[in-house]
Amino acid sequence: MQWSKEEEDAARKKVEENSATRVAPEEQVKFESDANKYWDTFYQTHKNKFFKNRNWLLREFPEILPVNQNTKEKVGESSWDQVRSSISRTQGTETHCQESFVSPEPGSRGRSAPNPDLEEYSKGPGKTEPFPGSNATFRILEVGCGAGNSVFPILNTLQNIPGSFLYCCDFASEAVELVKSHESYSEAQCSAFIHDVCDDGLAYPFPDGILDVVLLVFVLSSIHPDRMQAVAHRLSRLLKPGGMLLFRDHGRYDNAQLRFKKGRCLSENFYVRGDGTRAYFFTKGEIRRMFCEAGLHEKQNLVDHRLQVNRKKQVQMHRVWIQGKFQKPSPWTP
């Protein structure tokens, strides 16, 4: 559902009003330095009850599944029809951000050339031990896994697909513990670990260049805008050639942005909630520039407008989300 010009003008005016008064710079420091503590408190309070499971992931992001005939048979015809329909719906949206690279042929994900990063990890000094998922043939990383609202729908889908492995991380230790203590968590197919994606010096428990998919859903918006580009660059290095970064997050003028009161704005389109957690509201152009600068090709980048109705309160809410798919190119070979 697209907004009318009048609705968009009203939303813009509302944002101008609620961002006119900014949080004092000396107060903003604590929201950055103690960001993990605020999210720890959030998960201590809400456990895994706040967010619903994201059972829509496969519909919107069929790339979560390795594409081959065996997969089709294992997930069932009805599920695969949804995947195939979603793939055909998003074809034709690719934008090449770098002329020196080309994307691999459709269906070539997971069949790239030998990976020098992987060889160095397994043969280099002090790195001879196998890493979690080292024997897998299809690897996914979810960044900012929270209490596992994406993790367990994904594991439920991948459980009958041999060779698949899911990594998931969060900088809130309470969130990671909730994932590990879940009855469906299995170290045979999943590795949950504490990690701050803003700290470029922190090592991942696997080498660069081996991931087929990076899932970044409602995570980047919680990071300070000045640190987002570095995060995009780091995640790009984790992908193998042909690998996909799947993105979904808050869009500009989403109802959540319009509801902020004066005095909660940190900087332009960046706010702090009452519990100390933060949220940024993106445009398509910002997302395109960020991931293209990180060396990825735009395969999909859209604004998802939804009208939600709270029948109990008799309230209509305009929701706006940005959804994108960005692929790591393969070097051109004759």
Side-chain angles (χ1 to χ4, degrees):
M1 173 189 170
Q2 294 293 332
W3 282 14
S4 66
K5 185 179 185 302
E6 292 76 14
E7 289 173 325
E8 185 169 349
D9 288 343
R12 184 181 296 107
K13 183 178 180 181
K14 182 67 176 176
V15 167
E16 290 173 356
E17 291 173 354
N18 71 17
S19 60
T21 304
R22 304 286 174 91
V23 177
E26 58 271 20
E27 289 187 45
Q28 293 196 31
V29 174
K30 66 179 180 180
F31 297 122
E32 176 66 20
S33 61
D34 295 338
N36 63 323
K37 296 179 182 178
Y38 287 113
W39 279 108
D40 261 331
T41 301
F42 176 90
Y43 288 111
Q44 287 168 2
T45 302
H46 300 287
K47 303 298 181 182
N48 60 355
K49 309 297 183 184
F50 192 84
F51 300 111
K52 295 179 179 179
N53 278 352
R54 293 165 178 160
N55 296 312
W56 48 265
L57 280 172
L58 181 60
R59 181 181 69 250
E60 296 296 334
F61 298 130
E63 295 82 1
I64 288 172
L65 293 178
V67 182
N68 57 51
Q69 183 63 30
N70 291 334
T71 299
K72 177 177 178 179
E73 294 171 357
K74 292 180 186 301
V75 301
E77 289 291 337
S78 59
S79 296
W80 189 260
D81 286 343
Q82 290 182 342
V83 173
R84 184 171 52 196
S85 173
S86 182
I87 291 175
S88 63
R89 190 174 69 247
T90 61
Q91 282 179 340
T93 61
E94 178 179 359
T95 299
H96 291 284
C97 305
Q98 296 182 347
E99 295 299 328
S100 59
F101 294 98
V102 295
S103 297
E105 291 297 319
S108 66
R109 277 190 309 115
R111 296 198 299 271
S112 57
N115 190 333
D117 289 323
L118 182 54
E119 292 176 4
E120 181 180 351
Y121 193 96
S122 59
K123 298 176 183 179
K127 294 184 178 180
T128 57
E129 294 296 321
F131 56 90
S134 57
N135 294 324
T137 56
F138 187 82
R139 303 180 183 92
I140 302 173
L141 167 66
E142 187 197 4
V143 178
C145 62
N149 299 98
S150 295
V151 170
F152 298 108
I154 292 174
L155 285 179
N156 184 57
T157 300
L158 296 180
Q159 62 181 344
N160 295 320
I161 302 176
S164 59
F165 196 86
L166 173 65
Y167 304 98
C168 57
C169 65
D170 203 290
F171 73 163
S173 58
E174 187 72 22
V176 174
E177 185 55 38
L178 285 171
V179 171
K180 287 186 170 183
S181 62
H182 194 282
E183 60 182 4
S184 299
Y185 180 77
S186 169
E187 291 187 351
Q189 203 168 23
C190 184
S191 174
F193 57 99
I194 300 170
H195 192 89
D196 183 356
V197 293
C198 292
D199 189 343
D200 196 38
L202 283 180
Y204 285 82
F206 50 82
D208 287 357
I210 69 159
L211 296 179
D212 295 273
V213 174
V214 169
L215 190 64
L216 195 62
V217 176
F218 296 104
V219 175
L220 197 62
S221 57
S222 66
I223 294 172
H224 194 286
D226 291 346
R227 308 182 78 174
M228 291 179 183
Q229 187 62 63
V231 170
H233 276 289
R234 184 68 188 97
L235 296 179
S236 176
R237 297 206 304 271
L238 297 177
L239 287 168
K240 65 169 61 171
M244 296 285 286
L245 185 146
L246 307 176
F247 174 89
R248 187 173 175 89
D249 218 319
H250 299 294
R252 190 69 47 84
Y253 306 142
D254 178 36
N255 180 258
Q257 182 178 16
L258 306 186
R259 289 177 58 191
F260 276 106
K261 305 298 183 182
K262 290 182 180 180
R264 306 309 299 178
C265 186
L266 299 168
S267 60
E268 191 172 358
N269 301 302
F270 191 43
Y271 300 80
V272 62
R273 303 182 183 95
D275 61 5
T277 63
R278 301 172 297 178
Y280 185 85
F281 297 85
F282 296 97
T283 65
K284 278 191 354 176
E286 288 173 334
I287 296 304
R288 175 183 296 115
R289 286 191 295 272
M290 191 180 309
F291 291 117
C292 285
E293 188 172 324
L296 304 180
H297 285 172
E298 179 186 89
K299 306 292 285 187
Q300 181 194 71
N301 189 11
L302 56 84
V303 181
D304 186 356
H305 287 272
R306 305 280 178 100
L307 180 63
Q308 293 182 345
V309 180
N310 186 324
R311 300 188 185 280
K312 185 176 181 180
K313 296 183 178 180
Q314 298 284 305
V315 174
Q316 291 186 342
M317 299 175 290
H318 287 277
R319 304 311 309 270
V320 185
W321 298 294
I322 305 295
Q323 180 168 303
K325 303 177 182 182
F326 297 85
Q327 187 171 45
K328 188 169 185 175
S330 296
W332 173 261
T333 54

